[in-house]
């Protein structure tokens, strides 16, 4: 098997390294808008660097991993699908809902194989939480609380093309709410604050946000996120039922301190970022893609699953801007 990895920045080089370690991944062909960067990563991993993205398709591969900047995802995914190649794509699939729907309609018509990168589906804590909810161990689930907090904002150039806090960051929380509970969101109400760094106000984004989601069984979920959590990287999910409650993402590296006299001590080495926190999950999702390409496993997160999370993010952004609840049927779907 030969896998083409397009994009060798922070996440692309991480994916390439994970595939290089995988015993069934075969050889790698790397490409980047900066050929010199691709060459450096390839040399380090014992892979082959292509002089351009075009050459990845000309030289021939068995599958493609897309990890470029967001605005290049849709075109590269369609290029792979039109060539009959299975493709793994980092989220989001496209920069807006309309383009996402256009791409997914073509993928569906071609019966193409597309896996989207929602790595929390492979996190050990999230998996256990899902099993407990689905088994009934918590009883009737009444409340879900999620948090995603970055220790510092990304560069302004990244923010300008990210799609905003709901689409870029909290979309993972929205995916988790659906995936863990097994229920769909019917209505959202969202608000945000741009009181932090000026660059958020300049691009019309927010640095802190909250969303209240109502699920189709009446469960209420609150999802909060911020780009300005100086204590460290914090991703948690709390699930409360009539019989019990549990939390994923709560360990000795969670960057939160208790004010109680007998409370646990603050983390001595808090999580610094998403690659460190979710490294095993990222590795596991690429392993799942290899199995998918080899015909040995199911697709763990196809285009429809990714679309569902994006639609929630879009509804939250509309709710924030229009200061009103938004029903999910207001948004287009496949």
């Amino acid at each position: 098997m030969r896998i083409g990895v397009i994009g060798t920045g922070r996440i692309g080089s991480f994916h390439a390294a994970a595939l290089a370690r995988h015993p069934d991944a075969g050889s790698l062909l790397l490409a980047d808008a900066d050929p010199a960067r691709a060459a450096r990563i390839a040399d380090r991993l014992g892979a082959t660097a292509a002089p351009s993205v075009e050459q990845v398709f000309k030289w021939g591969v068995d599958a493609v991993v897309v990890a470029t900047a967001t605005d290049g995802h849709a075109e590269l995914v369609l290029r792979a699908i039109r060539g009959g190649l299975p493709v793994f794509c980092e989220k989001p699939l496209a920069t807006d809902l309309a383009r996402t729907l256009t791409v997914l309609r073509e993928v569906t018509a071609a019966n193409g194989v597309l896996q989207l990168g929602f790595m929390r589906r492979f996190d050990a804590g999230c998996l256990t939480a899902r099993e407990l909810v689905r088994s009934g161990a918590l009883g009737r689930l009444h409340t879900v609380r999620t948090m995603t907090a970055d220790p510092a904002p990304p560069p302004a150039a990244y923010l300008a093309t990210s799609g905003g806090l709901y689409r870029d960051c909290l979309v993972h929380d929205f995916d988790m709410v659906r995936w863990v509970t097994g229920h769909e969101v019917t209505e959202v109400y969202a608000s945000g604050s741009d009181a932090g760094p000026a660059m958020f106000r300049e691009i019309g984004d927010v640095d802190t946000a909250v969303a209240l989601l109502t699920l189709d069984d009446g469960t209420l979920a609150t999802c909060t996120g911020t780009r300005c959590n100086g204590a460290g990287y914090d991703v948690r999910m709390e699930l409360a039922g009539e019989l019990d409650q549990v939390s994923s993402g709560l360990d000795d590296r969670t960057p939160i301190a208790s004010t109680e006299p007998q409370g646990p001590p603050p983390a001595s080495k808090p999580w610094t970022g998403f690659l460190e926190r979710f490294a095993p999950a990222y590795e596991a999702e690429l392993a799942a893609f290899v199995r998918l390409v080899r015909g040995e496993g199911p697709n763990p997160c196809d285009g429809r699953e990714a679309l569902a999370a994006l639609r929630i993010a879009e509804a939250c952004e509309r709710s924030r801007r229009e200061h009103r609840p938004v029903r999910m049927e207001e948004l287009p779907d496949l």
Side-chain angles (χ1 to χ4, degrees):
M1 182 192 304
R2 192 183 204 191
I3 300 176
V5 179
I6 303 176
T8 56
R10 181 170 56 169
I11 190 64
S13 59
F14 191 94
H15 286 336
L19 290 168
R21 290 190 295 269
H22 196 292
D24 297 325
S27 61
L28 300 180
L29 181 58
L30 312 185
D32 193 271
D34 178 358
R37 180 166 65 180
R40 288 194 300 271
I41 301 298
D43 184 62
R44 190 175 76 207
L45 300 177
T48 301
S52 68
V53 171
E54 181 70 20
Q55 294 304 116
V56 171
F57 296 99
K58 286 187 175 180
W59 289 358
V61 290
D62 300 299
V64 172
V65 170
V66 175
T68 61
T70 297
D71 57 4
H73 289 185
E75 179 183 349
L76 290 167
V77 165
L78 290 178
R79 179 75 183 271
I81 293 297
R82 289 164 184 166
L85 298 172
V87 57
F88 173 94
C89 181
E90 269 302 320
K91 66 84 192 165
L93 181 56
T95 54
D96 58 68
L97 183 57
R99 180 62 170 155
T100 299
L101 289 167
T102 298
V103 173
L104 287 180
R105 287 178 182 126
E106 182 166 340
V107 172
T108 301
N111 198 27
V113 176
L114 168 64
Q115 178 183 331
L116 268 292
F118 280 87
M119 77 292 183
R120 293 187 197 176
R121 292 180 175 223
F122 299 88
D123 176 71
C126 293
L127 282 162
T128 300
R130 184 177 193 260
E131 291 166 2
L132 289 170
V133 170
R134 300 298 185 94
S135 72
L138 305 186
R140 182 187 68 85
L141 194 66
H142 53 76
T143 308
V144 180
R145 294 178 287 269
T146 76
M147 168 190 283
T148 294
D150 291 332
Y158 173 85
L159 285 175
T161 60
S162 70
L165 189 58
Y166 292 109
R167 300 183 189 96
D168 180 56
C169 185
L170 283 171
V171 70
H172 285 288
D173 298 67
F174 303 149
D175 182 61
M176 280 296 95
V177 168
R178 294 184 61 253
W179 186 74
V180 169
T181 67
H183 289 280
E184 299 296 336
V185 173
T186 58
E187 184 180 87
V188 311
Y189 189 83
S191 185
S193 169
D194 61 3
M199 61 182 175
F200 291 96
R201 292 185 291 279
E202 291 167 358
I203 63 171
D205 194 9
V206 294
D207 59 77
T208 303
V210 62
L212 170 62
L213 315 180
T214 301
L215 277 58
D216 57 18
D217 68 339
T219 300
L220 298 178
T222 57
C223 301
T224 61
T226 183
R227 302 284 198 184
C228 305
N229 196 58
Y233 183 71
D234 193 358
V235 171
R236 279 177 280 146
M237 185 177 205
E238 298 174 355
L239 300 128
E242 291 182 335
L243 299 180
D244 205 353
Q245 63 178 343
V246 295
S247 175
S248 66
L250 184 61
D251 59 21
D252 60 0
R253 298 191 65 183
T254 303
I256 189 168
S258 173
T259 60
E260 297 299 325
Q262 304 302 318
S268 59
K269 188 182 178 183
W271 297 109
T272 59
F274 65 92
L275 283 180
E276 182 189 30
R277 166 67 177 82
F278 288 109
Y282 278 115
E283 194 131 351
E285 75 172 354
L286 266 295
F289 180 61
V290 171
R291 291 193 297 273
L292 178 63
V293 174
R294 289 167 59 90
E296 298 172 351
N299 192 334
C301 188
D302 62 16
R304 287 182 178 273
E305 291 291 292
L307 174 63
L310 176 62
R311 290 180 71 247
I312 298 169
E314 291 281 344
C316 286
E317 183 61 32
R318 183 178 296 185
S319 174
R320 179 183 76 85
R321 291 184 181 277
E322 299 179 6
H323 303 285
R324 66 176 180 88
V326 173
R327 299 283 301 177
M328 290 306 300
E329 60 257 32
E330 295 181 40
L331 282 80
D333 201 351
L334 283 176

